[in-house]
Structure formats: structure tokens, C-alpha cells
Amino acid sequence: MSIFEYNGSALIAMVGKNCFAIASDRRLGVQLQTVATDFKRINQVHDRLFIGLAGLATDAQTLYQRLMFRHKLYQLREERDMKPETFASLVSAILYEKRFGPYFCQPVIAGLSDEDRPFICTMDSIGAKELAKDFVVAGTASESLYGACEAMFKPDMEAEELFEIVSQALLSSVDRDCLSGWGGHVYVVTPTEVKERILKGRMD
């Protein structure tokens, strides 16, 4: 078993019309044994920017703390929040810095730019970015997530429809992966509000 699969995870970010959704499962396991069913994989950087970290949970928490430290320094120096593109470059640089002993994480970054344009991207454990115009996925359930998103995605969805599509894609995909699941956690972000919802899924 790969170290990336040790705790199990499923992450997805998808764009809509001037909005985006980012969702994850809630299971924390040690291989096939479930340890927690309310684990938080998605973190808010500021009002319009979120990061989800799939992979090894301990590394994910360490990396998130380092990123928040760097973001707070940026806020103090620049007196503004980081743009999503800038934050993605920061994450990439921090990961590449540790390339010989990497953080075993696969980040998913989703944010809204100043012009309310959604930005999503993912990267591997050494910071190689993959930008997308529709959706990005990460974690042990990524193969089934690709299939579900490919089938369900439509351009320019409104926030409510986007929530529905992301939730259905996540719940149907984690049922095909025994290392992730146990419900879901979805954020839908528009220029005016952030909606957070908990999904109930199969509890086995």
C-alpha cells in the first residue's frame, strides 16, 4: 500500500458560473481500520480561497500550518489577501523545497479572483501544478471521481446546481473506494457568500 493511501481520502473541486465548489469525504482511517468519521480535509485560507489536502493526514496538517503562517506574513506585509494563483505558486514552492523528503500530500486549491473568476488547481507531492477549467480531483477515490465528474459536469452552472452535481459525484465515487467515504463535506463559494454543508453517506 502506498503511503498516500494510508489514511484514505477523496477530494474534488469544480467550477460554476462565478462560483466554485470544493468537497471531501470525512473518513480518517489507518489502512482498512476507521479511526474518525468527522475528519476535516478542507481548510479556509480566507473568504474566497480554500485548500483541500489529500494524502497522509499528519503531513496535511503540518503543511496547512506552514501555509497559514506564510499567508499571515503576506497579509501583514501586503495588507491584502493572497490571490488564488499566488497561493498556488506558494504551495508549489513549499512542496518543491521538500522534494527529497516530500510532504505526502496532494493539494487541491480553489478560489475566486478579484474579478469573481473561479480558479482551481491541484498538484502532486513535489508541487507540479495541474490547472483546469472544469474540475480537479485527488485522493484514493480519484479514479472513480474522474468518471463521475466527466459524466456530470456542465459549464456555467449556478451555485445550487453545482452543489447537487458535486455532491452526487462525491457520494457515488466514494462508494467504489473502501478507503474513503463516511459522508461528505461541501463548500460552495460565490462572490457574496460561503455555504458549508455536511452530506450523509453510507456508513460502512
Side-chain angles (χ1 to χ4, degrees), residues 27-179:
R27 179 183 181 270
L28 173 70
V30 173
Q31 294 181 17
L32 297 177
Q33 180 183 7
T34 301
V35 176
T37 58
D38 58 354
F39 188 65
K40 197 166 183 276
R41 273 183 228 292
I42 300 169
N43 295 291
Q44 189 167 2
V45 181
H46 59 74
D47 292 343
R48 299 156 72 93
L49 181 60
F50 287 77
I51 181 168
L53 293 162
L56 192 64
T58 48
D59 277 6
Q61 289 173 333
T62 307
L63 180 59
Y64 174 65
Q65 284 170 353
R66 278 196 70 188
L67 290 169
M68 287 315 290
F69 169 68
R70 296 287 287 271
H71 183 257
K72 281 171 182 165
L73 283 181
Y74 182 93
Q75 280 176 319
L76 286 168
R77 192 172 56 240
E78 303 281 333
E79 296 183 357
R80 63 194 169 104
D81 287 330
M82 233 184 238
K83 289 179 181 171
E85 294 85 350
T86 315
F87 186 72
S89 298
L90 169 68
V91 178
S92 181
I94 285 176
L95 288 171
Y96 192 67
E97 207 174 75
K98 287 266 190 288
R99 64 191 175 281
F100 299 117
Y103 291 113
F104 296 111
C105 288
Q106 199 181 347
V108 168
I109 296 157
L112 283 178
S113 69
D114 296 339
E115 302 82 50
D116 298 337
R117 201 175 53 251
F119 169 89
I120 54 169
C121 108
T122 184
M123 54 192 81
D124 65 5
S125 59
I126 57 166
K129 279 191 280 193
E130 182 195 336
L131 305 168
K133 295 268 188 289
D134 45 11
F135 59 83
V136 290
V137 301
T140 52
S142 59
E143 286 182 15
S144 40
L145 278 166
Y146 268 120
C149 293
E150 205 73 68
M152 293 171 161
F153 177 79
K154 290 187 300 208
D156 294 332
M157 286 184 284
E158 295 297 336
E160 256 339 283
E161 189 184 4
L162 182 63
F163 164 72
E164 204 63 47
I165 297 288
V166 164
S167 304
Q168 293 295 346
L170 181 75
L171 290 176
S172 61
S173 299
V174 295
D175 285 351
R176 298 259 166 209
D177 175 43
C178 59
L179 296 174

